[in-house]
Amino acid sequence: MDLRFVAVPASVVRVTGEDAAAYLQGQCTADLRPGGPAQALWLNRKGRVLAHTFVVPEPDGSFLLVAERAALVS
């Protein structure tokens, strides 16, 4: 079986403001304190995964949330 993954366009959201880090820290599963890019899960109230994102800190204090998808091609 030959499996290949094809990248599908990603969605990007910028989170800004002086409380952006504190807000994101309280909303996702990632520990944002180290300051580098992190993988984060977004959960519903029952703890089920709603989304997987990469959280990328920017030099200006904002954050990029990047949600990418991959399509399986057979």
Side-chain angles (χ1 to χ4, degrees):
M1 174 186 272
D2 179 28
L3 297 178
R4 293 174 288 155
F5 291 90
V6 177
V8 176
S11 298
V12 179
V13 175
R14 181 180 300 274
V15 180
T16 62
E18 60 185 57
D19 62 344
Y23 175 77
L24 290 175
Q25 186 65 62
Q27 298 298 313
C28 69
T29 60
D31 183 2
L32 302 177
R33 288 176 290 177
Q39 294 188 48
L41 296 176
W42 301 83
L43 310 175
N44 68 10
R45 291 180 185 224
K46 293 184 178 183
R48 294 191 177 119
V49 176
L50 297 173
H52 170 261
T53 61
F54 293 92
V55 181
V56 182
E58 294 285 279
D60 66 357
S62 66
F63 292 84
L64 296 179
L65 306 181
V66 182
E68 63 180 355
R69 300 179 305 203
L72 181 61
V73 178
S74 58

